[in-house]
Amino acid sequence: MHFISQELEDYIEQHSEKEPLSLAALNKETYQKILLPRMLSGHFQGRVLSMLAKLIRPMHILEIGTYTGYSALCLCEGMQENGTLHTIDIKEELVDFQRKHFDKSPWGTQIFQYLGEAVDIIPTLDLKFDLVFIDADKENYLNYFELIVPIMNKGGIILSDNVLWSGKVLEPLNPKDLSTKVLLEYNQLLANDSRVETVLLPIRDGLTVSRVL
């Protein structure tokens, strides 16, 4: 996941916006209590998500893959005053953990949690979104994209995480590695699909920014 030295990553964090204390507490609790804590966006990527959301000023945000809620709270920092964030995850054991931290934030009543498969839930959402963050099972990235594009406002932004997949996108493909296979197809789709314009940023494990045309 790390493509530059730890020293350079530390320098980048030191010269970026500071991590809010509430998110630092969420970060710490995730590492103390939850499996696979490296899935959490963390300080630098969180500040990138916050900055992008502040530039976009979305009214409605969709997040696919909640984990412990860190990225959701980062995105909420740029949400319009009466906006909403809708976040989907399959892990029932994390729902109460997420809600605890959501309710501590200024946006508790504006964050809506959905438990289940995103491919089933997305078609039930009767909203147009200005910002979408995809950070769930890689095998469904192509499916998520096709479900999302029709419910995006023109000029809306789709953020896709982990698109460099620890550098596996450059390695010979293992036929049994479905996640890498789909990500290769997904990256190719975003680069060529006439419905979006895309830039892939080498942030953490790769973050794609796609603007809906």
Side-chain angles (χ1 to χ4, degrees):
M1 183 179 293
H2 298 277
F3 302 108
I4 61 175
S5 69
Q6 186 62 54
E7 291 79 9
L8 194 52
E9 286 195 3
D10 292 342
Y11 182 88
I12 290 168
E13 284 194 4
Q14 291 162 9
H15 293 81
S16 297
E17 191 70 18
K18 304 304 180 187
E19 183 180 40
L21 293 177
S22 59
L23 288 177
L26 172 52
N27 192 333
K28 182 178 180 180
E29 189 174 357
T30 298
Y31 272 82
Q32 288 174 336
K33 299 180 179 179
I34 308 298
L35 291 174
L36 303 174
R38 66 195 294 266
M39 289 174 58
L40 183 138
S41 292
H43 175 190
F44 175 59
Q45 187 178 25
R47 292 304 86 204
V48 171
L49 295 176
S50 171
M51 181 67 76
L52 289 172
K54 288 170 182 173
L55 292 171
I56 297 162
R57 296 293 295 150
M59 174 59 74
H60 298 299
I61 304 170
L62 174 61
E63 179 183 53
I64 305 172
T66 315
Y67 191 48
T68 56
Y70 189 101
S71 55
L73 292 172
C74 293
L75 295 170
C76 282
E77 293 178 25
M79 187 168 61
Q80 293 186 36
E81 184 177 355
N82 297 316
T84 61
L85 182 140
H86 302 258
T87 184
I88 306 170
D89 206 285
I90 60 170
K91 292 185 173 62
E92 185 175 1
E93 66 272 18
L94 293 179
V95 171
D96 291 340
F97 186 98
Q98 299 159 5
R99 178 47 59 185
K100 178 180 73 172
H101 287 277
F102 291 160
D103 287 343
K104 287 181 180 179
S105 79
W107 311 284
T109 60
Q110 296 165 263
I111 299 175
F112 298 88
Q113 296 164 280
Y114 301 82
L115 179 65
E117 296 288 346
V119 291
D120 298 323
I121 293 170
I122 293 170
T124 71
L125 301 177
D126 188 22
L127 285 171
K128 284 281 192 176
F129 292 96
D130 307 297
L131 175 60
V132 175
F133 182 42
I134 306 175
D135 187 17
D137 55 313
K138 312 314 163 192
E139 293 88 344
N140 269 311
Y141 267 37
L142 292 165
N143 295 326
Y144 295 148
F145 181 79
E146 295 299 339
L147 288 170
I148 287 165
V149 171
I151 59 172
M152 295 289 295
N153 284 318
K154 185 176 181 180
I157 300 295
I158 301 171
L159 304 175
S160 309
D161 201 15
N162 304 117
V163 291
L164 294 179
W165 208 223
S166 298
K168 290 182 182 179
V169 292
L170 292 180
E171 298 172 0
L173 180 63
N174 181 337
K176 296 181 180 180
D177 186 353
L178 181 58
S179 294
T180 302
K181 179 178 183 295
V182 171
L183 282 173
L184 288 167
E185 294 176 13
Y186 184 69
N187 291 340
Q188 192 67 35
L189 171 68
L190 293 186
N192 296 308
D193 196 302
S194 61
R195 295 171 292 177
V196 296
E197 56 181 355
T198 293
V199 60
L200 198 165
L201 305 175
I203 293 172
R204 203 161 178 252
D205 196 25
L207 180 70
T208 300
V209 181
S210 302
R211 178 176 175 269
V212 177
L213 301 175

